Amino acid sequence: MSRSVPSAARRVVFLLLPGVHLLDLGGPAQAFHSANDAGGRYELVFSAFAGTVMTAQGAGLVPLVPPPEVGEPDFVFVPGTRCNGRLPERPLLAAEGVEWLRRAREAGALVASTCTGAVALGEAGLLAGRRATTHWSILDLLQARHPDAQLVDDVLFVHDRGVVTSAGVTSGIDLALSLVEADLGPAGAAHVARDLVVPLRRGGPGGQRALYLGGRDPLDPGARRVRDWLRGHPAERVRLPDLAALAGRSVSALVRAFKDDFGLTPLQYQQHLRLELAARLLREHRLPLEEVARRCGFEDPRHFRRLWKANFGAPPSALRTSGPHRPPPGGRDPLGESR
């Protein structure tokens, strides 16, 4: 999926169902709201087929507008509702809700869910033939109800042809950050993550063990400043003396601090960040390899391919053919899974 922020605002329409969980709603909403301070143009719309919705936590949400007609380049979010490890016996959506979600996807809107919001997407037929995920407690139940869906376990979120599903709760923030990153780039996503006081972004599959989250904070405050800068600017060209100046250290002192904490020099650390970013783009957005290389700071796509194969034992294209949650054949998982 390749998108860019349009000149007009991109609407993010939340469809709120009875019993909606506050964090499933509030996490993604806060991420998009914060992204407006980083150059985004997101217009948040809170909608329901009833004027008032009671949350699972007992707070009433009012006033809510009827769901508007949407299309490209809008986002539609269906936050999760209370389930207690069971699927609801009655449908979450009435007929008008099913038709609205179907029209939204057909008109080009990206449709996303957090947690049990995937149940509503299944009722609208949007999981058929797609990879998807949901909260671990109902994954098998949802698969039994929708055998034509390809449900994926042990991931935070999954993109598949305009439909994005997440495991729910805090992973809804990760899902939202992935969309912000596609619009605003790594620096924009890093701005939002810092504002929300969350890790820069956990990737969909395996990302909870990636460098963006890895290890303790560097003991040296200068190394910490450099690490944070590199996480926000993985694709930007930089010289080691410039990083040393940012740290207020000599080049040799900065390199020693980084090797102590990460086993890498600062430039090697940035290279690994670039490869992690490339893995996300390859798995989640289906961009051409040349565009992936450019977005990740590799000026020569051939160099990118050689570096990828040297690190992971297979060409970048293998990541797309190895399945939604398996390492590429012949190498380690670029998003952190070990073979």
mmCIF file of all heavy atoms in Angstrom, residues 109-135:
data_model
loop_
_atom_site.group_PDB
_atom_site.id
_atom_site.type_symbol
_atom_site.label_atom_id
_atom_site.label_comp_id
_atom_site.label_asym_id
_atom_site.label_seq_id
_atom_site.Cartn_x
_atom_site.Cartn_y
_atom_site.Cartn_z
ATOM 1 N N ALA A 109 -11.727 3.358 0.448
ATOM 2 C CA ALA A 109 -11.267 3.674 1.802
ATOM 3 C C ALA A 109 -10.500 2.487 2.374
ATOM 4 O O ALA A 109 -10.832 1.328 2.115
ATOM 5 C CB ALA A 109 -12.452 4.010 2.707
ATOM 6 N N LEU A 110 -9.462 2.772 3.142
ATOM 7 C CA LEU A 110 -8.788 1.727 3.895
ATOM 8 C C LEU A 110 -9.641 1.414 5.121
ATOM 9 O O LEU A 110 -10.074 2.336 5.822
ATOM 10 C CB LEU A 110 -7.396 2.182 4.315
ATOM 11 C CG LEU A 110 -6.572 1.190 5.132
ATOM 12 C CD1 LEU A 110 -5.108 1.250 4.733
ATOM 13 C CD2 LEU A 110 -6.713 1.459 6.639
ATOM 14 N N VAL A 111 -9.917 0.143 5.369
ATOM 15 C CA VAL A 111 -10.752 -0.277 6.494
ATOM 16 C C VAL A 111 -9.884 -1.024 7.493
ATOM 17 O O VAL A 111 -9.187 -1.982 7.126
ATOM 18 C CB VAL A 111 -11.922 -1.160 6.016
ATOM 19 C CG1 VAL A 111 -12.762 -1.605 7.212
ATOM 20 C CG2 VAL A 111 -12.789 -0.401 5.013
ATOM 21 N N ALA A 112 -9.898 -0.590 8.737
ATOM 22 C CA ALA A 112 -9.041 -1.165 9.768
ATOM 23 C C ALA A 112 -9.864 -1.539 10.991
ATOM 24 O O ALA A 112 -10.936 -0.971 11.238
ATOM 25 C CB ALA A 112 -7.944 -0.175 10.168
ATOM 26 N N SER A 113 -9.355 -2.476 11.757
ATOM 27 C CA SER A 113 -10.019 -2.860 13.000
ATOM 28 C C SER A 113 -8.984 -3.054 14.085
ATOM 29 O O SER A 113 -7.818 -3.360 13.816
ATOM 30 C CB SER A 113 -10.813 -4.163 12.821
ATOM 31 O OG SER A 113 -9.938 -5.261 12.593
ATOM 32 N N THR A 114 -9.412 -2.855 15.323
ATOM 33 C CA THR A 114 -8.610 -3.225 16.469
ATOM 34 C C THR A 114 -9.366 -4.287 17.249
ATOM 35 O O THR A 114 -10.585 -4.213 17.404
ATOM 36 C CB THR A 114 -8.330 -2.009 17.375
ATOM 37 O OG1 THR A 114 -9.562 -1.388 17.735
ATOM 38 C CG2 THR A 114 -7.467 -0.988 16.661
ATOM 39 N N CYS A 115 -8.639 -5.299 17.687
ATOM 40 C CA CYS A 115 -9.198 -6.334 18.547
ATOM 41 C C CYS A 115 -10.443 -6.969 17.917
ATOM 42 O O CYS A 115 -10.406 -7.409 16.772
ATOM 43 C CB CYS A 115 -9.494 -5.732 19.922
ATOM 44 S SG CYS A 115 -9.710 -6.941 21.242
ATOM 45 N N THR A 116 -11.565 -6.985 18.640
ATOM 46 C CA THR A 116 -12.773 -7.649 18.163
ATOM 47 C C THR A 116 -13.495 -6.866 17.069
ATOM 48 O O THR A 116 -14.513 -7.339 16.563
ATOM 49 C CB THR A 116 -13.744 -7.889 19.324
ATOM 50 O OG1 THR A 116 -13.967 -6.649 20.006
ATOM 51 C CG2 THR A 116 -13.163 -8.895 20.298
ATOM 52 N N GLY A 117 -12.972 -5.704 16.697
ATOM 53 C CA GLY A 117 -13.514 -5.041 15.517
ATOM 54 C C GLY A 117 -13.405 -5.915 14.279
ATOM 55 O O GLY A 117 -14.169 -5.754 13.321
ATOM 56 N N ALA A 118 -12.462 -6.879 14.300
ATOM 57 C CA ALA A 118 -12.339 -7.811 13.175
ATOM 58 C C ALA A 118 -13.603 -8.644 13.007
ATOM 59 O O ALA A 118 -13.899 -9.113 11.894
ATOM 60 C CB ALA A 118 -11.135 -8.721 13.384
ATOM 61 N N VAL A 119 -14.357 -8.852 14.083
ATOM 62 C CA VAL A 119 -15.619 -9.587 13.973
ATOM 63 C C VAL A 119 -16.571 -8.835 13.043
ATOM 64 O O VAL A 119 -17.220 -9.435 12.176
ATOM 65 C CB VAL A 119 -16.255 -9.789 15.364
ATOM 66 C CG1 VAL A 119 -17.630 -10.446 15.243
ATOM 67 C CG2 VAL A 119 -15.333 -10.621 16.254
ATOM 68 N N ALA A 120 -16.647 -7.517 13.201
ATOM 69 C CA ALA A 120 -17.497 -6.717 12.334
ATOM 70 C C ALA A 120 -17.016 -6.765 10.887
ATOM 71 O O ALA A 120 -17.822 -6.845 9.956
ATOM 72 C CB ALA A 120 -17.546 -5.270 12.834
ATOM 73 N N LEU A 121 -15.695 -6.727 10.688
ATOM 74 C CA LEU A 121 -15.178 -6.817 9.323
ATOM 75 C C LEU A 121 -15.535 -8.163 8.701
ATOM 76 O O LEU A 121 -15.861 -8.252 7.508
ATOM 77 C CB LEU A 121 -13.659 -6.619 9.320
ATOM 78 C CG LEU A 121 -13.157 -5.181 9.155
ATOM 79 C CD1 LEU A 121 -13.719 -4.249 10.204
ATOM 80 C CD2 LEU A 121 -11.635 -5.139 9.134
ATOM 81 N N GLY A 122 -15.504 -9.223 9.513
ATOM 82 C CA GLY A 122 -15.903 -10.528 9.001
ATOM 83 C C GLY A 122 -17.369 -10.558 8.616
ATOM 84 O O GLY A 122 -17.740 -11.148 7.591
ATOM 85 N N GLU A 123 -18.226 -9.909 9.413
ATOM 86 C CA GLU A 123 -19.652 -9.864 9.083
ATOM 87 C C GLU A 123 -19.901 -9.126 7.776
ATOM 88 O O GLU A 123 -20.861 -9.428 7.061
ATOM 89 C CB GLU A 123 -20.425 -9.199 10.221
ATOM 90 C CG GLU A 123 -20.443 -10.021 11.502
ATOM 91 C CD GLU A 123 -21.041 -9.264 12.686
ATOM 92 O OE1 GLU A 123 -21.482 -8.107 12.498
ATOM 93 O OE2 GLU A 123 -21.070 -9.837 13.783
ATOM 94 N N ALA A 124 -19.022 -8.169 7.462
ATOM 95 C CA ALA A 124 -19.163 -7.423 6.206
ATOM 96 C C ALA A 124 -18.492 -8.133 5.037
ATOM 97 O O ALA A 124 -18.485 -7.591 3.916
ATOM 98 C CB ALA A 124 -18.581 -6.025 6.367
ATOM 99 N N GLY A 125 -17.918 -9.308 5.272
ATOM 100 C CA GLY A 125 -17.279 -10.061 4.197
ATOM 101 C C GLY A 125 -15.901 -9.565 3.822
ATOM 102 O O GLY A 125 -15.360 -9.975 2.785
ATOM 103 N N LEU A 126 -15.282 -8.731 4.660
ATOM 104 C CA LEU A 126 -14.004 -8.128 4.302
ATOM 105 C C LEU A 126 -12.798 -8.980 4.697
ATOM 106 O O LEU A 126 -11.664 -8.626 4.362
ATOM 107 C CB LEU A 126 -13.883 -6.740 4.934
ATOM 108 C CG LEU A 126 -14.941 -5.727 4.510
ATOM 109 C CD1 LEU A 126 -14.676 -4.364 5.146
ATOM 110 C CD2 LEU A 126 -14.992 -5.597 2.984
ATOM 111 N N LEU A 127 -13.015 -10.092 5.401
ATOM 112 C CA LEU A 127 -11.906 -10.976 5.742
ATOM 113 C C LEU A 127 -11.738 -12.113 4.748
ATOM 114 O O LEU A 127 -10.697 -12.784 4.748
ATOM 115 C CB LEU A 127 -12.106 -11.565 7.146
ATOM 116 C CG LEU A 127 -12.212 -10.581 8.306
ATOM 117 C CD1 LEU A 127 -12.299 -11.344 9.626
ATOM 118 C CD2 LEU A 127 -11.049 -9.604 8.324
ATOM 119 N N ALA A 128 -12.710 -12.346 3.892
ATOM 120 C CA ALA A 128 -12.670 -13.481 2.973
ATOM 121 C C ALA A 128 -11.453 -13.393 2.059
ATOM 122 O O ALA A 128 -11.260 -12.394 1.359
ATOM 123 C CB ALA A 128 -13.946 -13.532 2.144
ATOM 124 N N GLY A 129 -10.624 -14.429 2.089
ATOM 125 C CA GLY A 129 -9.456 -14.488 1.226
ATOM 126 C C GLY A 129 -8.316 -13.592 1.650
ATOM 127 O O GLY A 129 -7.302 -13.501 0.942
ATOM 128 N N ARG A 130 -8.429 -12.934 2.774
ATOM 129 C CA ARG A 130 -7.390 -12.014 3.241
ATOM 130 C C ARG A 130 -6.683 -12.564 4.472
ATOM 131 O O ARG A 130 -7.278 -13.293 5.265
ATOM 132 C CB ARG A 130 -7.972 -10.644 3.592
ATOM 133 C CG ARG A 130 -8.346 -9.789 2.394
ATOM 134 C CD ARG A 130 -8.760 -8.395 2.861
ATOM 135 N NE ARG A 130 -8.883 -7.460 1.761
ATOM 136 C CZ ARG A 130 -10.012 -7.220 1.092
ATOM 137 N NH1 ARG A 130 -11.119 -7.866 1.438
ATOM 138 N NH2 ARG A 130 -10.029 -6.352 0.099
ATOM 139 N N ARG A 131 -5.419 -12.168 4.630
ATOM 140 C CA ARG A 131 -4.716 -12.386 5.883
ATOM 141 C C ARG A 131 -5.221 -11.378 6.900
ATOM 142 O O ARG A 131 -5.457 -10.219 6.569
ATOM 143 C CB ARG A 131 -3.205 -12.232 5.687
ATOM 144 C CG ARG A 131 -2.583 -13.316 4.809
ATOM 145 C CD ARG A 131 -1.083 -13.097 4.639
ATOM 146 N NE ARG A 131 -0.826 -11.836 3.943
ATOM 147 C CZ ARG A 131 -0.172 -10.812 4.468
ATOM 148 N NH1 ARG A 131 0.280 -10.875 5.715
ATOM 149 N NH2 ARG A 131 0.031 -9.716 3.776
ATOM 150 N N ALA A 132 -5.375 -11.804 8.124
ATOM 151 C CA ALA A 132 -5.926 -10.924 9.159
ATOM 152 C C ALA A 132 -5.519 -11.459 10.521
ATOM 153 O O ALA A 132 -5.007 -12.574 10.652
ATOM 154 C CB ALA A 132 -7.447 -10.843 9.041
ATOM 155 N N THR A 133 -5.774 -10.648 11.553
ATOM 156 C CA THR A 133 -5.525 -11.095 12.912
ATOM 157 C C THR A 133 -6.534 -10.439 13.837
ATOM 158 O O THR A 133 -7.313 -9.566 13.423
ATOM 159 C CB THR A 133 -4.079 -10.771 13.355
ATOM 160 O OG1 THR A 133 -3.778 -11.497 14.553
ATOM 161 C CG2 THR A 133 -3.891 -9.275 13.597
ATOM 162 N N THR A 134 -6.551 -10.853 15.075
ATOM 163 C CA THR A 134 -7.406 -10.272 16.101
ATOM 164 C C THR A 134 -6.824 -10.646 17.454
ATOM 165 O O THR A 134 -5.726 -11.216 17.533
ATOM 166 C CB THR A 134 -8.853 -10.759 15.967
ATOM 167 O OG1 THR A 134 -9.699 -10.024 16.874
ATOM 168 C CG2 THR A 134 -8.977 -12.244 16.278
ATOM 169 N N HIS A 135 -7.530 -10.315 18.526
ATOM 170 C CA HIS A 135 -7.042 -10.624 19.864
ATOM 171 C C HIS A 135 -6.858 -12.131 20.017
ATOM 172 O O HIS A 135 -7.682 -12.928 19.547
ATOM 173 C CB HIS A 135 -8.030 -10.101 20.910
ATOM 174 C CG HIS A 135 -7.493 -10.076 22.295
ATOM 175 N ND1 HIS A 135 -7.563 -11.159 23.142
ATOM 176 C CD2 HIS A 135 -6.844 -9.102 22.988
ATOM 177 C CE1 HIS A 135 -7.005 -10.863 24.294
ATOM 178 N NE2 HIS A 135 -6.561 -9.613 24.237
#
